[in-house]
Amino acid sequence: MATILIADDEKEIVSLLRFYLEPEGHAVREAYDGRQAAQILGSERIDLLIVDIMMPGMNGYEVIRALRGTDGAQGNIPVLVISAKTLVSDRILGLELGADDYITKPFEPLEVAAKVKAHLRRVGREKAQGTQGQDGAESALLRAGPLCLNRNECTVSDGSKTFDLTKIELSLLQMFMEQPRRIFTTEQIHERGWAGTEAVDDNTIRVTISHLREKIGAARITNIRGLGYRLECE
């Protein structure tokens, strides 16, 4: 079904996750330090990354940063962090760098397998949306006011500037652009950006939306007090 890279310096954890993921039909690649993980990501097609934070060579944060700096679809694959670092600040940092999920150790393997399935399902849904229409190139473009989102290239611009967004920011902006002026609750934003994640709290959502507003222009996304957020069409 998918090729999943598990990067963790604890071989027991890698073996445990392999045991639960391979019966689902996934091919599993293994890396035991950050540099090895980065090398595999740079040379092979990977559909989803599971990465530990505290690894030798390169830590997980550095691996995520390098991955998200990669052009094309490979740089936008789902990333699940599994880490013994449990502080809220650690989770927020991982999510801000571009992780899609953050799971703390010790973890339940069945939960990880369920999250993998949820993120792969979301990616498949987004790809299907991006290929609809007779003209493939034009159907990949989503427009709302001056904003233009290219689903194939995972880029956003307003005609004069291209915005550098994380995968979660891109996913949330696409949700807003698909239904401009609609108010989305924090629960709906959570489901779109962090499907199946229990660790994400309202503060993380507020921080993510705040960063998105800073990048595309604060006036373009309005906080409707007590209700949620909406995209304003200029």
Side-chain angles (χ1 to χ4, degrees):
M1 293 178 63
T3 300
I4 299 171
L5 172 60
I6 305 173
D8 196 310
D9 59 341
E10 297 184 62
K11 294 187 177 182
E12 296 80 5
I13 287 180
V14 175
S15 297
L16 177 64
L17 291 174
R18 174 190 281 274
F19 178 80
Y20 280 87
L21 292 174
E22 286 187 332
E24 297 289 329
H26 302 305
V28 174
R29 297 284 285 109
E30 302 175 359
Y32 300 107
D33 62 63
R35 295 191 186 281
Q36 184 183 13
Q39 182 179 16
I40 293 173
L41 289 167
S43 60
E44 301 181 26
R45 179 185 176 276
I46 300 296
D47 298 301
L48 183 143
L49 169 65
I50 300 175
V51 61
D52 184 26
I53 294 301
M54 295 181 287
M55 294 187 296
M58 292 173 63
N59 64 38
Y61 292 141
E62 293 171 321
V63 173
I64 296 171
R65 186 181 292 112
L67 175 64
R68 292 308 187 216
T70 303
D71 293 332
Q74 181 82 342
N76 290 284
I77 64 172
V79 175
L80 278 64
V81 171
I82 294 182
S83 176
K85 297 170 75 68
T86 60
L87 295 178
V88 172
S89 58
D90 295 319
R91 296 203 300 269
I92 290 176
L93 177 57
L95 294 169
E96 286 183 342
L97 288 174
D100 299 282
D101 217 327
Y102 195 107
I103 304 164
T104 57
K105 297 178 180 179
F107 57 85
E108 170 53 56
L110 285 174
E111 180 184 6
V112 176
K115 289 177 181 291
V116 166
K117 183 180 295 185
H119 284 290
L120 290 174
R121 183 169 59 244
R122 173 177 57 80
V123 170
R125 188 166 60 240
E126 290 174 358
K127 287 181 178 179
Q129 291 172 348
T131 56
Q132 291 175 353
Q134 294 182 348
D135 186 340
E138 183 59 32
S139 66
L141 301 180
L142 176 64
R143 303 180 191 275
L147 293 175
C148 179
L149 187 155
N150 188 315
R151 297 186 182 96
N152 289 344
E153 298 178 1
C154 299
T155 58
V156 178
S157 66
D158 64 358
S160 61
K161 181 180 179 182
T162 298
F163 306 106
D164 183 18
L165 305 182
T166 67
K167 181 175 178 60
I168 289 179
E169 292 167 351
L170 189 68
S171 179
L172 294 182
L173 182 58
Q174 179 174 332
M175 177 185 71
F176 285 124
M177 290 177 65
E178 286 170 347
Q179 299 185 66
R181 299 288 299 171
R182 172 184 170 179
I183 298 174
F184 289 92
T185 66
T186 55
E187 290 79 9
Q188 291 168 325
I189 293 171
H190 175 280
E191 178 63 25
R192 180 60 177 256
W194 299 271
T197 305
E198 298 178 359
V200 175
D201 54 21
D202 287 350
N203 184 60
T204 300
I205 292 174
R206 284 194 296 270
V207 169
T208 302
I209 295 293
S210 176
H211 285 307
L212 177 58
R213 296 180 73 213
E214 289 174 3
K215 291 179 179 180
I216 70 170
R220 286 177 169 151
I221 296 180
T222 304
N223 180 6
I224 310 300
R225 188 175 298 276
L227 295 176
Y229 299 87
R230 73 181 179 199
L231 178 70
E232 306 293 347
C233 282
E234 303 172 6

